[in-house]
Amino acid sequence: MSLANTAIADSKIHAQGYSQQDAEDPPPDGGYGWVCAICSMFLLFSTWGANSSYGVVLEYYIKSHYYANEATQYDYALIVSMVGFLGQFLAPVALICTEMFGIRKTIFFGVLVQTLGYILASFCNHIWQLYICQGLLLGIAFAFIFIPPTMTLSSWFLHKRGMATGISSAGAGLGGIVFSLSIDSIIKASGDHKWALRYLGLSTCVISVICALLIRFRKPKDIPKFTFNELNQKTIKMFNWKKINLPTVYIALWFSTIIIGYTLLLFTLSSYATSIGLTSSQGSILTAILNASQTVGRPCMGLLADFLGRINTCLLLTISNSLMIFAFWTNASNFTSLIIFSLIIGLTIGIGSALSPALCTDNVEADLQNSSYSFINILVGINSLFPAVVALKLKDPDLSNPFFNTQIFCGCTFAVGAIFLIIFREWKLRKIITIRYDSLLNNNCNKNEKNNSSKKILLVTDQEELGKCERILKQNLVCYIVRIFHPLKT
């Protein structure tokens, strides 16, 4: 490709609202990147997917009264919340370690901690020990295993970035199916949970180590010699949130809000089923269907986002989730209707996990991406800490539908998340149109200079487009609403 053609291609990429880094050095959109996407998927398979089997182990704890004298339902809820909280909240620590020691060593550390967590949990006899092993250790491990691989994908993909992150995030649903079924079989065969947890530790260790050996950034990163001064500089840069831009704030507010609804749905779907007279086995089937649907839905959401625009897709599906919960879940009163609900909502409920990395990379310059992604994950981690407990608090046994309050709150989180995306879309569309407007003016100025004309002569088509841009960019309420609904790929 000639320099002129390269410059034209770069300007088109920048005009679409991507970061300057993407415009100057466009990723190849494939190649070895697909190997990295698959590896990232299996790393999520071994972390969040394996963690989805907690419900199976929890059922054994409750039925066998294993911690009966010490544990309450709030203890079990807090343990699973700790994993979600630490797995996201420690993102900056994991990314600093990636910059200081490299991606493989960072993941290996996480794998070691995760393996210890599962195996030590199999020897726990007191609830405080379970807090440490299955809550604290697994939460720390997850951050070091799944956060760094997510950031590799942005270096490999641009126009197919949504598809890549969708494939990556599908590992959580796939792992939920595989590990839940295998853990259930091991518990039934062995008579307790101990070998089931050891199986989790050993199997996830093998899978994660293989993936860590294969995954890499497109351009090798220089690993500095470890010094405390270097560590201090990396830490200051990571937490330099004065440079956080508006898109990062919008993405963080959106994702941290809908993660509450996502967690509430996953935590209460099975319990809701039993509350309306279904069996616990039917409740488990619904959870499995939801996970299976997520496995299919997340790559599909990524593909749709690459076609329609990532903000557009996130907005449409966030609104869709809210409507499905308000209109469908609150009225689903039998097994058949809940199967249909689980199949449909499972396709789109993971929109935050599937597309937030791509949204961040699209709208943040390369040198600020780690800091911005850390900021997003910290807010998401904080909001992951309490949904399971909130679900228990909102449950009202006096209502004909004890989970009605939980369902309404769940739907509201997606509705509020949609509002943040609407504001974000207006900002992004204004940016794209401004770039287009400036480009038209510059092009015509250059033409006039070549013609040695002191008077700007605009083509009729350029005049029309400039006028259209000027009208859309006016700062008033009507134009603001027009920008929100303007049919443009964002």
Side-chain angles (χ1 to χ4, degrees), residues 9 76 91 102 114 123 132 150 186 194 196 207 227 278 444 456:
Y76 295 126
Q114 182 186 42
F123 294 100
I132 294 173
T150 305
I186 293 172
K194 294 180 180 180
I207 294 169
T227 63
L278 302 181
N444 281 284
K456 292 183 179 180

Side-chain angles (χ1 to χ4, degrees), residues 24-188:
E24 294 174 355
D25 182 23
D29 260 340
Y32 194 79
W34 293 118
V35 176
C36 295
I38 297 298
C39 288
S40 182
M41 181 189 75
F42 276 104
L43 287 167
L44 266 78
F45 174 91
S46 300
T47 49
W48 298 113
N51 191 57
S52 297
S53 65
Y54 177 78
V56 180
V57 181
L58 174 60
E59 186 178 359
Y60 171 80
Y61 289 153
I62 294 172
K63 285 185 176 180
S64 64
H65 305 287
Y66 194 79
Y67 297 104
N69 297 327
E70 303 177 22
T72 67
Q73 57 182 347
Y74 293 104
D75 288 306
Y76 295 126
L78 280 172
I79 288 170
V80 73
S81 296
M82 279 179 65
V83 178
F85 166 67
L86 292 171
Q88 306 276 0
F89 191 80
L90 295 178
V93 180
L95 290 174
I96 290 171
C97 289
T98 303
E99 293 182 358
M100 291 295 298
F101 307 109
I103 187 169
R104 288 196 179 112
K105 290 180 181 177
T106 302
I107 296 176
F108 286 156
F109 171 76
V111 173
L112 175 62
V113 176
Q114 182 186 42
T115 305
L116 284 173
Y118 279 125
I119 292 178
L120 290 176
S122 70
F123 294 100
C124 291
N125 294 313
H126 301 283
I127 193 64
W128 67 266
Q129 296 171 339
L130 200 65
Y131 267 104
I132 294 173
C133 297
Q134 209 160 349
L136 180 63
L137 291 181
L138 290 188
I140 293 171
F142 283 13
F144 284 83
I145 296 173
F146 101 93
I147 291 290
T150 305
M151 299 307 293
T152 65
L153 300 182
S154 62
S155 68
W156 290 102
F157 297 94
L158 178 62
H159 299 295
K160 297 178 182 177
R161 189 172 283 161
M163 181 65 174
T165 57
I167 290 172
S168 171
S169 65
L174 181 62
I177 302 168
V178 173
F179 285 115
S180 294
L181 294 174
S182 56
I183 289 300
D184 185 53
S185 299
I186 293 172
I187 290 175
K188 288 177 179 177

